[in-house]
Every structure is written in structure tokens, then in C-alpha cells.
Amino acid sequence: MNILDGKKISNDIKDEITEAVAQMKTNGEKTPHLAAVIVGEDGASLTYVGSKVRACARVGFESTLVQLPADITEADLLAKIQELNADDEIDGFIVQLPLPSHIDTQKVLLAVDPKKDVDGFHPENFGKLALDMETFIPATPYGIMELLRRYDINTSGKHTVVIGRSHIVGRPISILMSRKGQPGDSTVTLTHSRTKDLASFTKNADIVISALGVPNFLTADMVKEGAVIIDVGITRVPDNTTTKGYVITGDVDFEAVREKASYITPVPGGVGPMTIAMLLQNTLLARQRSVQ
Ligand code: GUN
């Protein structure tokens, strides 16, 4: 069993970005600038956004955190997005999800200028992803592809089973793994909550990508000997023995599944840090594309 070390690979990527930014500074060019919009006080969302802003400082990017109250009106949020679209200083921005229920998420994502949509959530960018066109690949699926690429895992002709059909992970990774190229060229099955006998699919999978959010869902009896296991789950499970009062738990029963897997991502330290690295990569791309 080999660990797919997302912490190490994400640090390698951040080092590469740091170097690119230093070169931009030497050339007297503008530094990439990411803005993150967060609505409300959700603890997990605040943690994620905080990590994204800290990561900007680590690579030499400018960053702006836009914190808005949970009761902001949809119109005021849309106005803020238009402001960010028009601000030449900002190269890319994200709106942290989920949004409060009184706000129409689709309307908000449609309002983001596709050229600044470093999350890759705008339908124009998502459509381009499906059509193999230049776009912003959503950070988590992009991170999974980059892990597979940097560990040189052969995906061609393999059976990849994706668990979960979310717009952020399951749906896009299923498209990416079926596209031409390496990683890619996989035969993909996208499973979800209505799939009958889900284990019958995972047992035959060469690669399992689980993005469900159910702790320890994927057990050893559900995977084939030698399979590659990618765990996207990051659920906070209450635990009074820790200072935070919770532990981050993946979808995979790690200790048992690692005995059968050829490669496996840990939680934490697998896909999570890759997501942040690829958001930075997309922001660098946004900056570079804006001067082309
Ligand atoms: N919420 C969970 N994952 C993400 C993400 O990748 N981007 C944004 N904006 N919100 C999220």
C-alpha cells in the first residue's frame, strides 16, 4: 500500500507557484489577487476560507476576504459580485458554498464573470470542461487529477467508480476521468444515493473516488485487492477527547481498506490540501490569461 500524500504534493505545487510569483515580481508584473466571499458564520466554511487566504500569503498572492452577514439580501450579494467582476485589481474570486437558504445559489454562480471564476462553477466553465476546452477546472477534481498525474498512476482503460454526484466533485471528476488523456481514458461509473447494490460496482473498480460525506462508508469488503482509493470525505465527527471537539473523518474505513489498496489518500492530508493548491493554480492562470 502506498499513501497518496496530498500534503507533500500540495506543498510542491505551492513552491512552484511561489517561484512563478517571484518571477512576476522581478519582471515588475502585477501579483495575482484572489478574493473570497463568505456569507454567515458557518464554522467549517470559515475554516476553509481562512485556509485559502493563508495559502495566498504563503505563495505571495494578494488576497481579500469579503465577510458578509448571514441575513444579507440576494440583491446586495449580487451587487458585491458585480463590484468584484469590475475590479481590475482582483484576478479571481470565489463565493464559499453553501449559501444561506434565502439566497438562490445558481443566480449567484451565474453572476460571477467566467474569466474570474477560479472555482470553475459557472455553467460556461463547466460546459467547457465537458468539451475539453480551456477553462477553470473546479479545485477538488483538479486536485485529484493532479495527484494521479504526479504519482504516475495509470488510469487508461481502468474502471473508475465515483460515489456521489455533487456539482463540486462527483459530476466533474466523472467527466474528467472519462476524457481523453492521462489521467483520464477511464471507463467511469457514477454512483449515487439511488444506485442499487453500490458495493457490486465498487468491488469491480480499479479506482474508487468517494465524495459522499458519510464517515467510514467504504469498507474493506467493498473494494478489490490492489484498487486505488481516493477519499474526498471531510466530515466533522464530534469527539470530546480532542481540543476542537471533533475529528475530521473521511468516507473510507482507512485502516482496513489500506490493507487491500495499492494507493490510498489519507484524511486529513490527502485531497483536502490539494484543493487549496489548485485554487491557487487557477488564480495564477486567471492572472496569466488576463494579460494574454
Ligand atoms: N464548499 C465546499 N467546497 C467548496 C469549493 O471548492 N468552493 C467553494 N466556493 N465552496 C465550497
Side-chain angles (χ1 to χ4, degrees):
M1 181 274 316
N2 296 290
I3 295 283
L4 294 170
D5 188 346
K7 190 146 183 56
K8 182 197 173 293
I9 300 293
S10 67
N11 275 322
D12 292 348
I13 294 167
K14 285 183 200 164
D15 287 345
E16 292 161 18
I17 296 172
T18 305
E19 220 167 283
V21 173
Q23 190 61 52
M24 288 168 128
K25 284 184 181 164
T26 305
N27 297 347
E29 296 166 16
K30 181 187 171 301
T31 319
H33 189 155
L34 174 73
V37 179
I38 179 156
V39 181
E41 303 278 337
D42 177 70
S45 289
L46 282 167
T47 304
Y48 298 146
V49 170
S51 306
K52 291 171 186 179
V53 169
R54 274 196 305 281
C56 284
R58 150 91 160 77
V59 299
F61 285 4
E62 301 292 327
S63 67
T64 299
L65 180 60
V66 182
Q67 258 188 298
L68 301 169
D71 61 356
I72 190 172
T73 64
E74 189 178 277
D76 284 351
L77 177 57
L78 290 171
K80 187 71 213 174
I81 288 170
Q82 293 310 339
E83 216 178 279
L84 292 168
N85 284 341
D87 186 344
D88 287 340
E89 173 55 33
I90 305 289
D91 298 295
F93 67 97
I94 64 157
V95 182
Q96 188 66 27
L97 303 180
L99 290 168
S101 55
H102 69 279
I103 290 172
D104 182 343
T105 300
Q106 267 190 356
K107 229 189 218 178
V108 170
L109 297 181
L110 269 168
V112 176
D113 180 344
K115 289 196 278 306
K116 294 192 176 188
D117 171 38
V118 285
D119 255 334
F121 291 169
H122 190 285
E124 180 178 317
N125 284 325
F126 201 97
K128 285 180 170 177
L129 178 146
L131 296 169
D132 301 329
M133 294 167 74
E134 185 178 275
T135 183
F136 294 110
I137 299 171
T140 302
Y142 194 3
I144 295 167
M145 297 298 275
E146 203 57 23
L147 261 185
L148 294 170
R149 192 173 74 77
R150 292 190 185 228
Y151 275 91
D152 208 14
I153 291 171
N154 179 23
T155 60
S156 177
K158 306 290 184 190
H159 182 201
T160 294
V161 171
V162 177
I163 308 174
R165 56 183 157 182
S166 74
H167 295 170
I168 294 180
V169 187
R171 190 76 53 80
I173 195 67
S174 68
I175 297 169
L176 288 167
M177 289 297 283
S178 70
R179 295 201 319 188
K180 280 189 182 160
Q182 169 63 34
D185 286 329
S186 245
T187 303
V188 177
T189 303
L190 178 55
T191 66
H192 47 76
S193 54
R194 299 298 161 118
T195 299
K196 291 201 177 92
D197 193 8
L198 197 143
S200 69
F201 295 98
T202 56
K203 275 180 194 164
N204 285 303
D206 302 305
I207 301 166
V208 179
I209 301 174
S210 186
L212 196 61
V214 177
N216 301 316
F217 173 83
L218 194 77
T219 49
D221 57 309
M222 293 169 74
V223 304
K224 187 167 85 171
E225 197 71 43
V228 175
I229 309 292
I230 308 286
D231 189 351
V232 192
I234 37 164
T235 308
R236 290 182 172 197
V237 175
D239 184 340
N240 292 329
T241 65
T242 65
T243 45
K244 285 182 175 164
Y246 64 84
V247 283
I248 300 288
T249 308
D251 288 354
V252 178
D253 180 4
F254 183 80
E255 290 307 327
V257 172
R258 72 185 295 177
E259 302 296 332
K260 289 178 95 173
S262 58
Y263 289 90
I264 187 166
T265 60
V267 175
V271 175
M274 290 300 294
T275 295
I276 294 188
M278 302 328 285
L279 175 66
L280 298 173
Q281 181 67 40
N282 276 343
T283 306
L284 179 63
L285 280 173
R287 176 71 216 130
Q288 290 167 338
R289 285 178 191 162
S290 75
V291 293
Q292 274 169 5

